[in-house]
Amino acid sequence: MKTTGIVILVLGILSTLGAIIGAMGGADTTLSGLAFVVLGAFLISRANKKKEEEAAKSEWENNSNA
């Protein structure tokens, strides 16, 4: 999930930069790439949080068995 988040985040950033550069040239563009930036950041955050939860769970299980 983290790898997917990184890929989507990079694509969103590139899309947003392309829209900004296109807007400077007078083209009619949208900043829909920001949605991919947000989605990618969410996926990375969720993957990190899930990893922390699993570590806390395993630590709790190890302490309860002692």
Side-chain angles (χ1 to χ4, degrees):
M1 185 162 43
K2 187 173 185 175
T3 306
T4 305
I6 292 171
V7 170
I8 291 174
L9 181 67
V10 169
L11 289 175
I13 290 170
L14 291 174
S15 175
T16 304
L17 285 175
I20 292 171
I21 291 170
M24 286 182 189
D28 187 24
T29 60
T30 61
L31 296 176
S32 58
L34 289 175
F36 287 102
V37 171
V38 171
L39 178 62
F42 171 76
L43 289 175
I44 293 169
S45 171
R46 183 63 189 130
N48 289 338
K49 188 173 182 180
K50 189 174 183 180
K51 189 175 183 181
E52 290 174 4
E53 288 173 355
E54 297 229 354
K57 182 179 177 183
S58 67
E59 182 181 328
W60 181 80
E61 288 175 348
N62 290 337
N63 288 338
S64 66
N65 291 336

